[in-house]
């Protein structure tokens, strides 16, 4: 096959590389068990832009920029850059919003759930179980003909928009523009938002991971979905690689601390850890990719994936402004309500969006 | 029996055609799988991107089906035969 990354050994190697990179980012300054978390980092970007005012989680994360641009460049080189879109964009936007709401009740995307487990955080187990449950519900919809419809080919320039948006964020980060007194761009002085690896390290890691993930089609949601739907363990072998490599690196660096209570940027409310990730998992299936994969697709020119990612960024603003996002102290007052509304939305989407018979 | 012999013997002119262009992952695979489970023995799966091609080929390989590729304008056709 022309693409070695898409072979079994390739996807395992990519999973291992992501796991090692993420743990090294933690070692270089990123928050604990948060070497790369697409949901958390998009949330930090939302905060930096002032879409929410949670002072502890505001930073323009270069990893997100790198993941997108890395995938964009890899797709260009591989001649896979192909602008397309128009498959129910508004539905995808709200799937992104609710995916973020669910992820922030748990406190992490699937990547971080794996990194939390690799760091010894037992609460990740209930999160991952919830993720699998949500994906299981999504598979039911896929089997009964769920579809958001076909994407159409778009103008070549349109596909550059999302990577260009990311490049714009990089400029804001580099020049740290202050648009108003005490106003955006916001950068956390304390808390997770203040913990970050050096800019070039973060950006370089993001670019590398974005490129190899685009080539290998790495997707955490797809891993679970393909096992449930097709008994296909191809993507799962990459996820296993990530988990094993990250755990090994944590052990080597003395970052492995097993337990449930007092885990970094985590809480022990098992019910809402489970249900938050169930919502996220269901939304990922309905949108066709985990948050990381959506960034890589955006880089390839998938405008619908870009809409989903923007939905996630807006969803982070909603989560923190309306007391939906959890904190280490526990679930926020309106978090459970947000998850219930999100599940109802996703079920409505799943039941109502069927492929049209030609 | 060589794969090409299978093709000669078992591929009638009218293979079932699945148009999976523009569909996002995993729908091309789901549609192909559904057709196979419904008893289709000859399939032409039309896709418009590398990822869908890789996924459908992987499905065919896992189900031990004969598969080959042909280009059709900008699109890729995966021919599958049982």
């Amino acid at each position: 096959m022309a693409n070695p990354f898409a072979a079994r050994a390739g996807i395992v190697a990519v999973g291992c590389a992501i796991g090692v990179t993420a743990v090294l980012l933690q070692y270089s300054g990123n928050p604990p068990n948060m070497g790369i978390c697409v949901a958390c980092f998009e949330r930090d970007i939302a905060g930096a832009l002032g879409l929410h005012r949670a002072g502890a989680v505001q930073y323009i994360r270069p990893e997100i920029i790198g993941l997108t641009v890395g995938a964009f460049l890899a797709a260009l080189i591989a001649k896979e850059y192909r602008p397309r879109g128009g498959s129910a964009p508004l539905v995808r936007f709200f799937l992104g919003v609710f995916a973020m709401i669910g992820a922030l009740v748990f406190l992490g995307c699937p990547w971080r759930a794996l990194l939390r487990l690799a760091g010894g955080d037992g609460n990740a187990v209930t999160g991952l179980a919830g993720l699998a449950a949500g994906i299981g519900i999504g598979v039911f919809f896929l089997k009964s003909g769920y579809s958001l419809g076909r994407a159409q080919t778009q103008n070549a320039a349109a596909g550059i928009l999302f990577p260009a948006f990311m490049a714009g964020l990089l400029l804001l980060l580099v020049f740290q523009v202050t648009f108003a007194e005490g106003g955006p761009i916001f950068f956390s002085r304390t808390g997770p938002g203040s913990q970050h690896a050096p800019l070039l390290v973060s950006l370089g890691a993001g670019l590398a991971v974005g490129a190899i993930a685009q080539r290998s089609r790495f997707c955490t949601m797809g891993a679970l979905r393909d096992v449930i739907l097709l008994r296909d363990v191809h993507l799962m072998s990459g996820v296993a690689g990530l988990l094993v490599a990250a755990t090994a690196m944590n052990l080597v660096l003395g970052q492995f601390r097993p337990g449930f209570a007092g885990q970094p940027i985590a809480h022990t409310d098992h019910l809402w850890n489970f249900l938050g990730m169930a919502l996220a998992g269901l939304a990922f299936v309905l949108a066709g990719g985990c948050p990381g994969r959506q960034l890589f697709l955006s880089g390839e020119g998938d405008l619908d994936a870009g809409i989903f990612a923007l939905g996630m960024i807006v969803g982070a603003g909603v989560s923190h402004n309306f007391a939906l996002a959890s904190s280490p102290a526990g679930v926020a007052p309106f978090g459970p309500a947000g998850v219930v509304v999100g599940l109802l939305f996703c079920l409505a989407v799943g039941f109502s969006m069927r492929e049209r018979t030609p | 029996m060589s794969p090409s012999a299978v093709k000669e013997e078992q591929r009638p002119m009218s293979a079932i055609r699945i148009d999976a262009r523009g569909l996002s992952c995993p729908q091309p695979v789901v549609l192909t799988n559904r057709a196979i489970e419904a008893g289709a023995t000859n399939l032409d799966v039309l896709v418009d991107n590398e990822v869908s091609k890789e996924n459908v080929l992987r499905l065919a390989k896992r189900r031990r089906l004969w598969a080959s590729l042909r280009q059709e304008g900008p699109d890729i056709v995966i021919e599958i035969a049982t």
Side-chain angles (χ1 to χ4, degrees):
Chain A
M1 193 175 282
N3 179 4
F5 289 101
R8 177 60 57 87
I11 186 88
V12 173
V14 167
C16 291
I18 295 174
V20 169
T21 304
V23 172
L24 288 176
L25 282 169
Q26 287 158 211
Y27 194 73
S28 316
N30 276 10
N33 297 348
M34 204 191 279
I36 303 178
C37 171
V38 176
C40 312
F41 287 4
E42 288 176 346
R43 181 265 319 272
D44 292 348
I45 288 174
L49 298 177
L51 299 179
H52 69 71
R53 296 299 178 88
V57 284
Q58 298 172 322
Y59 179 55
I60 295 178
R61 293 279 177 186
E63 288 86 354
I64 298 293
I65 299 166
L67 291 175
T68 310
V69 176
F72 171 65
L73 296 174
L76 272 184
I77 292 167
K79 297 192 167 42
E80 286 182 5
Y81 172 72
R82 204 173 50 85
R84 72 264 191 194
S87 166
L90 193 61
V91 175
R92 291 175 189 273
F93 177 83
F94 281 102
L95 286 173
V97 170
F98 285 113
M100 182 62 100
I101 289 173
L104 290 181
V105 166
F106 166 70
L107 291 174
C109 69
W111 288 30
R112 179 159 196 251
L114 295 165
L115 293 173
R116 281 172 60 171
L117 190 59
D121 180 349
N123 303 295
V125 175
T126 39
L128 287 167
L131 182 72
I135 291 170
I137 298 170
V139 165
F140 161 78
F141 288 126
L142 287 173
K143 281 185 172 171
S144 38
Y146 168 82
S147 175
L148 286 179
R150 289 175 203 273
Q152 271 87 46
T153 302
Q154 303 286 330
N155 187 290
I160 298 170
L161 199 49
F162 199 82
F165 166 55
M166 288 291 144
L169 288 179
L170 184 61
L171 292 179
L172 291 177
L173 173 63
V174 169
F175 293 104
Q176 307 227 340
V177 190
T178 303
F179 289 91
E181 194 68 30
I185 304 299
F186 298 99
F187 291 103
S188 297
R189 297 218 178 85
T190 59
S194 68
Q195 298 171 287
H196 53 81
L199 193 161
L200 287 177
V201 173
S202 291
L203 186 64
L207 285 167
V209 169
I212 59 175
Q214 191 279 333
R215 300 308 302 132
S216 66
R217 335 312 186 186
F218 184 86
C219 178
T220 54
M221 179 283 293
L224 279 160
R225 179 201 62 206
D226 287 355
V227 168
I228 300 171
L229 178 67
L230 302 160
R231 308 269 175 265
D232 179 354
V233 297
H234 175 77
L235 289 172
M236 185 55 88
S237 57
V239 167
L242 190 163
L243 183 60
V244 170
T247 307
M249 277 307 284
N250 276 327
L251 287 168
V252 168
L253 297 173
Q255 295 180 155
F256 184 81
R257 294 184 190 85
F260 284 87
Q263 288 289 340
I265 317 157
H267 61 79
T268 57
D269 190 324
H270 299 310
L271 175 67
W272 292 103
N273 276 336
F274 181 92
L275 289 175
M277 277 311 249
L279 167 59
L282 177 53
F284 300 152
V285 180
L286 296 179
C290 74
R293 179 81 185 135
Q294 301 279 355
L295 290 180
F296 313 137
L297 288 170
S298 306
E300 287 177 17
D302 186 334
L303 308 186
D304 295 324
I307 297 272
F308 181 92
L310 290 176
M312 284 193 70
I313 292 173
V314 171
V318 172
S319 282
H320 282 283
N321 286 343
F322 300 110
L324 308 175
S326 301
S327 71
V331 171
F334 292 91
V339 170
V340 170
V341 171
L343 284 171
L344 289 174
F345 171 78
C346 288
L347 291 174
V349 169
F351 279 114
S352 58
M353 305 283 164
R354 298 297 168 95
E355 67 197 45
R356 275 167 290 179
T357 41
Chain B
M1 199 186 298
S2 72
S4 58
V6 175
K7 187 189 177 191
E8 291 303 319
E9 260 174 47
Q10 299 186 346
R11 275 189 78 83
M13 293 301 284
S14 56
I16 294 175
R17 193 173 174 86
I18 294 175
D19 183 359
R21 289 175 300 175
L23 292 176
S24 59
C25 178
Q27 289 176 66
V29 174
V30 170
L31 292 175
T32 308
N33 201 36
R34 191 182 298 161
I36 293 166
E37 287 184 348
T41 51
N42 286 278
L43 283 170
D44 277 1
V45 186
L46 190 60
V47 299
D48 59 2
N49 66 84
E50 281 295 309
V51 179
S52 296
K53 183 195 87 180
E54 288 167 7
N55 289 344
V56 172
L57 279 178
R58 203 167 60 244
L59 174 77
K61 193 176 169 193
R62 219 180 48 254
R63 299 196 71 126
R64 298 175 191 287
L65 303 173
W66 176 91
S68 100
L69 297 172
R70 96 172 173 259
Q71 197 74 27
E72 201 175 280
D75 305 316
I76 307 161
V77 178
I78 306 133
E79 299 173 0
I80 297 177
T82 52

